[in-house]
Amino acid sequence: SQQGEEDPQALSIQEGENATMNCSYKTSINNLQWYRQNSGRGLVHLILIRSNEREKHSGRLRVTLDTSKKSSSLLITASRAADTASYFCATFTTDSWGKLQFGAGTQVVVTP
Amino acid sequence: GAVVSQHPSRVICKSGTSVKIECRSLDFQATTMFWYRQFPKQSLMLMATSNEGSKATYEQGVEKDKFLINHASLTLSTLTVTSAHPEDSSFYICSALGDGYNEQFFGPGTRLTVL
């Protein structure tokens, strides 16, 4: 079952613009992870943010986590055409035996 | 980082045949692996949890007799789609749980097409 919902479902932007997508979840979590998936390919792990963290950066990525609202956001700054992909959030809970619950995903298209 | 491979990357088979997909952790041992399926433009749906040396745990709605999982070693799990039908056509992705038990490492996926 899907724990998370992501919005928007699709996002189309120009190169150089920022892309923001949001993820909401329902239960308490240990950490939240963001993944990228290029069309027809496997998942690439982008960033993991723990429940006691509020913000994390990795290169052009910025992730926030608000456990009181059970939501997270992923910001891609200065987007590039190569950022075109689907982005998924996934939550991990300590009693889930290592399972991840994936959100529905956001399809991002960056046009040159 | 940890590397997980899948084989084959693509497979086309006739309806009624069985297909085996392998998932290997290349540079670490994984007592737990997961199998997902993904339909076009959809998210990953967990099918089952594969534990080395024991029976797999299937998610609700997943037929264990149709999707046979074997995790005979700490680096290999296999998923066999038995008597495949066109509706089984999908992208199958495996992952392996890291030592810290809070991160999964994903394979590149296997595209199954059943004619």
Side-chain angles (χ1 to χ4, degrees):
Chain A
S1 62
Q2 298 296 314
Q3 144 122 280
E5 294 182 3
E6 291 183 56
D7 77 273
Q9 288 186 333
L11 182 60
S12 184
I13 56 174
Q14 301 273 345
E15 259 190 335
E17 294 179 338
N18 295 341
T20 301
M21 58 210 87
N22 303 293
C23 167
S24 61
Y25 56 92
K26 298 173 183 171
T27 63
S28 295
I29 62 171
N30 178 273
N31 66 61
L32 185 144
Q33 304 174 36
W34 285 92
Y35 291 85
R36 184 185 75 226
Q37 184 182 36
N38 290 83
S39 180
R41 309 293 290 273
L43 270 69
V44 174
H45 184 262
L46 295 177
I47 199 164
L48 180 154
I49 186 165
R50 293 182 170 79
S51 59
N52 61 353
E53 297 176 309
R54 292 296 168 259
E55 188 171 313
K56 208 162 181 179
H57 296 253
S58 177
R60 293 184 295 111
L61 305 179
R62 173 178 167 254
V63 167
T64 64
L65 180 64
D66 186 335
T67 52
S68 66
K69 294 181 180 178
K70 291 186 169 58
S71 68
S72 174
S73 69
L74 171 66
L75 167 68
I76 305 172
T77 60
S79 62
R80 305 166 181 168
D83 295 328
T84 295
S86 292
Y87 292 82
F88 296 94
C89 68
T91 55
F92 176 83
T93 58
T94 51
D95 60 351
S96 64
W97 302 99
K99 292 182 187 179
L100 288 173
Q101 293 286 336
F102 279 86
T106 296
Q107 274 193 299
V108 175
V109 175
V110 183
T111 52
Chain B
V3 179
V4 175
S5 70
Q6 275 184 248
H7 178 80
S9 58
R10 291 178 178 271
V11 57
I12 300 173
C13 69
K14 292 182 179 179
S15 187
T17 60
S18 294
V19 174
K20 181 185 283 187
I21 303 170
E22 293 184 348
C23 177
R24 292 181 186 273
S25 57
L26 297 185
D27 50 2
F28 68 105
Q29 294 183 330
T31 55
T32 302
M33 292 183 173
F34 301 94
W35 286 96
Y36 298 84
R37 65 188 298 180
Q38 184 183 31
F39 292 107
K41 298 190 184 300
Q42 293 188 22
S43 187
L44 279 71
M45 295 296 295
L46 180 65
M47 298 174 67
T49 303
S50 170
N51 298 297
E52 187 268 337
S54 64
K55 291 182 180 179
T57 304
Y58 291 81
E59 296 298 302
Q60 194 172 9
V62 178
E63 298 174 59
K64 62 180 181 181
D65 294 329
K66 180 166 185 63
F67 299 101
L68 301 178
I69 291 172
N70 183 280
H71 194 154
S73 78
L74 287 171
T75 58
L76 174 64
S77 175
T78 60
L79 168 69
T80 301
V81 182
T82 62
S83 187
H85 291 282
E87 57 265 31
D88 298 324
S89 297
S90 187
F91 194 54
Y92 291 86
I93 304 176
C94 73
S95 70
L97 193 61
D99 288 341
Y101 292 91
N102 63 2
E103 186 171 357
Q104 293 182 25
F105 301 96
F106 285 83
T110 296
R111 173 77 58 194
L112 170 63
T113 303
V114 184
L115 303 176

